[in-house]
Amino acid sequence: MSDTIVGLDIGTSYIRVAIGQLDENNNIEIIGLAKNNSQGLRNGTIVNVENTMNAIRETIEAAEQNAGYEVSSCVTAIGGTQIVSENSHGQVVVGSRDRDKNNRVVTQNDVDRVLDAANAVQIPMDRQMIHIVPQGFMVDGEGGIKDPVNRMGVRLEVDVHIVTASKTAIQNVSVCVNRAGYELGKVMLKTLAATQAVALQDELELGSILIDLGAGTTDVIVLMKDAPICSFSIPVGGNLVTNDISIVKGIPSSTAERIKIESGCCYLPALGEPQEVIIPGVGGRPPEVISQTELCEILQARMEEIFMMVKKEICHRTDVPKLSGNIILTGGGAEMEGVVELAQEVFGTTAVRLGIPENLGGIAEEYRKPEFATVIGLVVAQKNSAGEKDRKKKKRNSSGKKDGFLNKLHDLFF
């Protein structure tokens, strides 16, 4: 693998690119970053290949100039309603015997076989499997095992989380990247990529929810005991919030988007002293001056609806009685004022935080915002892949904690 890593996040409103560079100690530094208006997408799905291709090329070229590096290939993320996930179970008889004790010993071959058994689910012809994530292994009924290799037993079982994507959606992404002049490596679920960048090991163990508030969709992943147990997307996002402002105030969407970004707050108690907001006149109408409170009421109603939809879907898809970790908010919508406080009210917990990528060094920390969680996560996942040999030699990481979901994702995705 090259010592330079390129992540590409193709969103409904924006395309983001991050270029990372590995040093001799396998530490990553972000040397290039770019963000550009997205074109040719609707609700996370490519509807115009030519426009998307041009937007990708322009964004990567901007990152190249920033980094002083010529990009040849990249990895990208996929989300939205073209993603479907399910949980599955597999079971096999352990096939090897210890020569000294005449007992069966689990080998890597047994692990591969049981994953294949769990993977034996019927997938429609128009879908492609992109991830098979082990949630936990069992040996002779004993559960909670992360690495069963070298354990003695007769029966090996595994629970896995399987993620599939629309073949057409993946092909469209590949065509756009290739026609832009770059080679596409792998495609990763965007919420898994964001998890790489912002989630802490303790949050994964205790049980957490990551919510990616995009422009066209809101993507969610629920994590428990160091593994994903549920992932889904709802087809509403920040564009619907912008549309509400546009309809209520009778202004173009571009103007509504600017007002939302500059003056928007989605939780009235967090507003503080309301400011005046100028609504530009359209078609000869004079400009209108409204209170920031009125704008907040529009935003809060829609954002609350989005969070309620997420909450309802999580309750429908999972039976976990309690998650003791955090709700982590990423994506461009997470940068709106009041979004943390509103999520706290809807979900009934104070354990809500913004998902900000860790400091990796490099470009003046410009990437340390929730909107860059996915693209930075892609770079981090690739970095982990480069350190695979070291990870196998060391069962524990530098902090002394066991290797977990964050450090093992690359075994399955890249």
Side-chain angles (χ1 to χ4, degrees):
M1 172 180 163
S2 168
D3 62 353
T4 303
I5 305 163
V6 182
L8 169 67
D9 177 19
I10 307 171
T12 302
S13 287
Y14 294 101
I15 292 178
R16 301 173 180 89
V17 174
I19 302 176
Q21 192 167 56
L22 292 169
D23 61 21
E24 62 276 7
N25 298 317
N26 200 40
N27 295 320
I28 194 74
E29 182 180 65
I30 303 300
I31 62 171
L33 193 73
K35 171 185 172 182
N36 199 5
N37 289 331
S38 184
Q39 299 177 36
L41 283 92
R42 183 182 299 120
N43 294 339
T45 302
I46 295 173
V47 294
N48 188 310
V49 170
E50 194 72 22
N51 288 346
T52 304
M53 175 199 72
N54 291 331
I56 289 172
R57 182 190 294 122
E58 291 172 5
T59 311
I60 293 181
E61 286 176 351
E64 288 177 327
Q65 293 178 2
N66 199 310
Y69 172 82
E70 187 173 345
V71 172
S72 60
S73 64
C74 62
V75 294
T76 191
I78 191 169
T81 53
Q82 59 262 37
I83 294 294
V84 174
S85 67
E86 62 180 297
N87 296 322
S88 181
H89 182 83
Q91 176 179 313
V92 296
V93 175
V94 175
S96 64
R97 293 181 181 271
D98 184 286
R99 281 178 285 184
D100 295 330
K101 300 180 180 179
N102 200 35
N103 290 323
R104 293 184 183 272
V105 178
V106 178
T107 65
Q108 185 59 48
N109 181 60
D110 294 318
V111 173
D112 293 340
R113 288 193 303 115
V114 78
L115 288 173
D116 286 341
N119 182 25
V121 295
Q122 195 167 24
I123 298 175
M125 294 292 292
D126 62 342
R127 305 202 63 80
Q128 178 177 329
M129 188 174 297
I130 58 174
H131 301 308
I132 309 170
V133 188
Q135 297 170 328
F137 293 89
M138 288 183 286
V139 178
D140 291 346
E142 179 188 351
I145 300 171
K146 293 299 179 183
D147 185 1
V149 175
N150 294 327
R151 295 181 73 102
M152 294 183 182
V154 175
R155 187 177 73 256
L156 177 64
E157 300 173 71
V158 68
D159 291 312
V160 299
H161 186 66
I162 297 174
V163 181
T164 65
S166 161
K167 283 185 178 180
T168 301
I170 294 177
Q171 289 168 356
N172 284 339
V173 170
S174 180
V175 167
C176 289
V177 172
N178 292 337
R179 288 182 59 183
Y182 308 99
E183 180 183 349
L184 180 63
K186 296 290 183 178
V187 177
M188 186 175 188
L189 179 64
K190 70 179 304 179
T191 46
L192 284 177
T195 299
Q196 288 269 275
V198 303
L200 303 176
Q201 189 65 39
D202 289 345
E203 291 175 320
L204 301 178
E205 290 285 355
L206 292 171
S208 298
I209 303 168
L210 184 140
I211 304 173
D212 186 286
L213 297 164
T217 62
T218 299
D219 298 317
V220 182
I221 187 167
V222 182
L223 304 128
M224 184 72 181
K225 295 182 180 178
D226 205 17
I229 60 172
C230 171
S231 55
F232 62 91
S233 176
I234 56 176
V236 292
N239 283 352
L240 204 58
V241 180
T242 301
N243 191 54
D244 286 348
I245 302 173
S246 175
I247 292 174
V248 172
K249 305 313 297 182
I251 55 177
S253 293
S254 57
T255 304
E257 178 71 13
R258 178 179 58 79
I259 291 172
K260 181 183 74 173
I261 294 173
E262 294 177 354
S263 305
C265 175
C266 64
Y267 189 60
L268 202 55
L271 188 57
E273 186 66 29
Q275 305 295 318
E276 289 186 343
V277 180
I278 298 176
I279 306 296
V282 178
R285 293 201 318 258
E288 178 186 358
V289 178
I290 66 170
S291 169
Q292 199 176 9
T293 301
E294 183 179 347
L295 179 63
C296 181
E297 289 172 348
I298 299 171
L299 298 177
Q300 181 170 339
R302 183 62 75 182
M303 290 300 295
E304 184 175 359
E305 180 187 15
I306 291 173
F307 282 135
M308 288 298 296
M309 292 173 69
V310 170
K311 182 178 180 180
K312 181 179 179 180
E313 195 69 19
I314 291 173
C315 293
H316 173 70
R317 289 172 175 259
T318 67
D319 56 0
V320 178
K322 183 179 181 182
L323 299 173
S324 301
N326 287 320
I327 295 173
I328 308 169
L329 305 179
T330 65
E335 298 186 13
M336 188 185 301
E337 185 180 350
V339 69
V340 170
E341 292 85 350
L342 180 60
Q344 289 174 338
E345 180 176 291
V346 172
F347 288 94
T349 177
T350 58
V352 181
R353 71 174 181 87
L354 294 180
I356 299 175
E358 64 177 312
N359 185 2
L360 300 174
I363 303 180
E365 301 186 16
E366 294 175 19
Y367 55 87
R368 299 203 67 203
K369 298 178 181 178
E371 65 172 311
F372 290 109
T374 295
V375 74
I376 296 300
L378 288 168
V379 173
V380 172
Q382 282 277 70
K383 175 257 185 182
N384 285 344
S385 179
E388 167 65 0
K389 291 182 180 179
D390 291 338
R391 189 193 69 80
K392 286 186 175 180
K393 291 178 181 178
K394 288 187 175 183
K395 292 294 183 182
R396 294 180 178 273
N397 58 28
S398 58
S399 65
K401 291 188 282 189
K402 290 179 66 178
D403 281 336
F405 172 66
L406 289 177
N407 293 326
K408 291 181 179 179
L409 273 176
H410 58 276
D411 294 341
L412 300 160
F413 305 150
F414 292 97

